[in-house]
Amino acid sequence: MSQRQSVPLAELRHCNQNQSDAVKELEQQFCLDNATLLKVVESFQNELVAGLVDDRSSDLNMIPTYVTGYPTGDEKGTYLALEIEGMDIYACQVKLKGDNGKLAINQYQYKIPQDLASGDDFAVLIDYVVECISDFLMRVGTQDLFVYSMAVSFGWAIKQTGLDTGRILSLGYGLSYPNGVGVDIVQLMHERVRLKGLPIKIVAIANDSVCTLLAHAYQHTTTRLGIVLSLGTNCAYYERTRSITKLKDQSVIRDKNMIMNTEWGNFGSSRRTLPCTWFDRKLARESINPQFHVFEKMTTGIFLGELVRNILIYLVDRDILFSGESSETLNTTYSFDTSYMYVCEADGSETLEDTRIVLEDMLDLSKTTVADREVVKKVCELVGTRAATLVGTSIAAIVQHMVEKGIGISEEGYAISISGSIYEDYPSFHPRVCKTIKDLIPEQVAGKLSVGVVKHSRIVGAAIVAMMAEKITTATSPMQE
């Protein structure tokens, strides 16, 4: 994949002894050896297995998606997908053409108006969503007397209880509708769709990691894991249905492989299974959800930049950086944007000029020295490398679990699908993740792994979910295993 590369500092050439000692102290906390990572692998696998048993014994929610079987790349048909993320609504039409995964995409974006961000009647918001769907169908055209299958993907917390059933736990993302919590979202949408007379049937709910997995799987049929790494993070993978013992009271076919939504962002939250530092604990305490989503706070989005900012303030207070002087901007929480880390890590100039621009122009610090910039660049390297290492470690844990259970193994091996700005844009994130995976799993397994970035919008994966749902509900013979 095409990605900017980190330019590591070979040595701290301009730093004084106190600065060099401070960096060594940070290296001891953030550089993780293989023994530590193997403990994380073991802990992750224990949490994974516990989460398959019940909803109380694990930091991993392990939510069944009810999507079973694999796409072949030869399926054909026209399917619809809807994604709501924040205040954005995306509608998509995907024409599957078969022939090893060929497809065509029509997509349109809508905005939720600010006056619909809150209210007393959740149905008003859903009516607007349905209006957007109606507008989209007018744009792309429909076939007479044909009902289109649609899958929906929401950026809301939903307790999924079936392929096409799930109740809203919380909306978040700036939306406030008290009577929306507890609603069966598909049932409500069907009611409003029928009132509008639209030729669609919502056949499945899908989350972002499932969409990432299947968006890749239609064109790369050995794909078994889907990972999102952006503002937040999540992972979906295939599990043997008979191993999901918390489904024992459900009428689910036991000889299938089902996609599981791990919700791995919460890993390490109730047990000290991750190598947290003082800086991690400080960030967690001051966040809006202390003691939750610890893994997410160590690996993704705005949290990486905030970790760096906390470390820089710590070094300022010890007179290690910027002659002991900070700035109002640097003192402001979340002011060190994670994208600044990209710039600092990729800065290979003699005087670290790009890093100077970040510090002096973006963070309003007074004149910085080259030594200051070397320390800042090194801090970014340590935080960014640890994030990639922990992601690679968690992937290794799931891959080992799947190999040991014989899940989805093919002669071609496993493909892993990843989407999200952190993975795609952060310098050297990809090779760091791959190196970690290779270091932690047997060579014969590592040699059969491939990692692919979803090139087109992951909403395409929701359309694939709609296709899979159609296959699941209409199949009269066992699906491909």
Side-chain angles (χ1 to χ4, degrees), residues 92-93 100 123 132 135 152 159 171 309 326 392 415 421 432 465:
C92 183
Q93 178 199 65
N100 295 317
C132 294
D135 177 78
V152 290
K159 178 65 174 178
L171 293 171
R309 191 193 70 85
S326 186
S421 58
R432 289 168 178 169
V465 173

Side-chain angles (χ1 to χ4, degrees), residues 92-144:
C92 183
Q93 178 199 65
V94 178
K95 293 183 178 180
L96 304 180
K97 300 182 177 182
D99 194 16
N100 295 317
K102 290 183 179 177
L103 51 81
I105 306 166
N106 280 315
Q107 183 173 315
Y108 200 76
Q109 180 179 357
Y110 301 86
K111 285 280 186 182
I112 297 175
Q114 198 57 46
D115 63 336
L116 290 182
S118 61
D120 298 324
D121 187 0
F122 185 58
V124 173
L125 175 62
I126 298 304
D127 282 340
Y128 176 76
V129 172
V130 171
E131 285 291 342
C132 294
I133 297 171
S134 177
D135 177 78
F136 177 73
L137 292 177
M138 288 185 62
R139 291 172 183 272
V140 299
T142 56
Q143 182 179 328
D144 289 341

Side-chain angles (χ1 to χ4, degrees), residues 55 61-64 156-162 165-170 205 246:
D55 294 331
N61 286 341
M62 302 299 292
I63 301 170
W156 309 332
I158 292 178
K159 178 65 174 178
Q160 193 166 349
T161 54
T165 57
R167 295 193 176 275
I168 297 173
L169 299 178
S170 65
I205 301 172
K246 63 184 177 183

